[in-house]
């Protein structure tokens, strides 16, 4: 089974990281610092999407999308 490089902005961050563990470091580098804590990833990450997280940390969504695309991901809005 081929693993897709698609990242959906409207599913919980926990699920994104579960499907793409290598994205955890990318997201933390972008400013999603609480996700570096496994407890917060497991709790906050289960109810917060990338789109919502971007609003919380006041990071333009376009910046996140560009960064993910530069890292080889197809972003699904």
């Amino acid at each position: 089974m081929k693993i897709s490089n698609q990242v959906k902005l409207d599913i919980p961050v926990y699920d994104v990281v579960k499907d793409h563990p290598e994205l955890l470091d990318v997201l933390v580098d972008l400013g999603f610092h609480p996700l570096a804590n496994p407890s917060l990833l497991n709790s906050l990450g289960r109810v917060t999407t990338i789109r919502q997280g971007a609003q919380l940390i006041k990071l333009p969504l376009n910046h996140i999308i560009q960064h993910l695309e530069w890292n080889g991901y197809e972003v699904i809005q």
Side-chain angles (χ1 to χ4, degrees), residues 23-40:
L23 269 182
L24 179 58
D25 290 336
V26 173
L27 292 172
V28 171
D29 287 345
L30 279 169
F32 289 77
H33 302 293
L35 299 180
N37 179 329
S39 296
L40 289 176

Side-chain angles (χ1 to χ4, degrees), residues 10 34 38 42 47-48 62 77:
D10 293 316
N42 196 32
V47 296
T48 305
N62 286 340
Q77 298 187 49

